[in-house]
Amino acid sequence: LPAAAAAAAVIAAFGLLAWLWWNAHGDSFSAKLNPPATAEAAPAGSIVVLPLANIRGDARERYLSDGLTEELIATLAKVPGLRVAARSSSFAFAGKNTDIHAIARALNVRSIVEGSVRQDGDRVRIALELINASDGFQRWSQTYDRDLKNILSVQNEIAQSVAKVLSPARWRNPDPATAKPVEIDPAIYRKYLRAQMAFSAQTAPGTEQAASLLRDVTRAAPNFADAFAAQAATLFGGIMMKSADAGTVTEFESALGRALRLDPTNPQALAVQIDYEASRLNWNTVIADAVILRRLYPHNATALQGLFSAYRALGLYDLAVSAEREAARLDPLSYIARRKLGGILVSQGKYGEAIAPLKSSLDVQPEIG
C-alpha cells in the first residue's frame, strides 16, 4: 500500500505538471519587449495607476498617498481581465509632469487612473478619474469621502467601479469570508502602509522596520490576510539567506500559514510559499500553488514572479521564460524583471535572446551596470 500511494502521488504530480505545461502554452505570450506605438495597440484591459497626489503636501504623510496607490494596484491586479502595471513602473512617474500619451506608450497600457488623497484626522478623501490614453478623455470619475476605518471596503469599491468600465463581463466579487476585514483601526492601517513603504525600499533597515511594524499590525488585526502575507514576505529574505534564527523561522511560518488560512488565494502569500517550499523540495505544494496562481492571476505581477520561481524550480524553463516575459511587460521599468528574464535565458544558452532584456535592464537602471 505505501508503494501504491507513492506511485499515485508521483502520477498526480506529473499530471499537474502536464496541466501547467499545456495550460500555459495555450496562451499567446509575445516574445517582444518593446511597447506598441499607440495606446490602441496595447492589450485590452491594460491600465496603470499613477501615484496619487498628496493634497496636503506634507512629506510626512506621503506614506498614505503612496500606500493607497500600492493597495489600489494590488486590488485591481486581482481582477480577471485586467493587466495592471506593477508598482515600480507606476512610481517611476511620481512627481513628473509626463504626458499621458508618453506614459501609455512607455507602459503599454490603454487606460490611466490618476487622482489625489486628502487626509483630515481619520477622514480621507480620494478623488479618482479613469482616462482613455488614446484620446485623453475621461471614462469615469468618483470622489470617496470616508472614514479611514472603512478604507479596505473603499478599495474594493474603487476596483469594482474601474473593472466594470474596463472589463464588465469579468468582474469577480471577492469572497466576503476571505480577503480583507470590513473595518480596520485607522492607526493600525497607517502602520500597515508605513510598513509597505519601508519594505518597498528593499534595504535591510527598511525591511527590519517593516517587520517590526507588521508585528504590531497582525497582533491588532488578526483577520487582515494581506498584513500576514506582507509579514511573511519581510521575514523570508533572512530565511533564504540562512541568517534567520529558529524564532524567526517560526514567526515566518506562522504568518504565512495565517495569511493562507484567511485567504487561500492570496497571491503574495502563495508566491512566498512557492519559494519556501521549493527550497524544502516539497514539490506537491509548489505545483498546487502554481496551479492557483496560473488559474486566478495570469496577469498579476506578484503572481507571475511566483510562477517564475515554480517553473524554474520544476525545470520548466520555457514556462519560466514566458512568465517572466509577461512580468516584464507588466513592469517595463523594472530592472529586476528584465534582469531575471535575461538571467534565465543565459542559463539556457539562449544568449541572443538574452541581449535585449539585459540591455534594457541597464537602460532602466544604468548605475548598476
Side-chain angles (χ1 to χ4, degrees), residues 68 70 92 107 154 187 262 304 343:
L68 289 176
E70 290 190 55
L107 301 186
V154 173
L262 290 168
L304 285 163

Side-chain angles (χ1 to χ4, degrees), residues 191 195 206-217 219 234-235 251:
K191 280 192 176 184
T207 299
E208 290 175 9
Q209 181 187 6
S212 176
L213 288 167
L214 287 167
R215 288 186 187 102
D216 293 342
V217 173
R219 278 195 295 267
T234 62
L235 298 170
E251 182 184 6

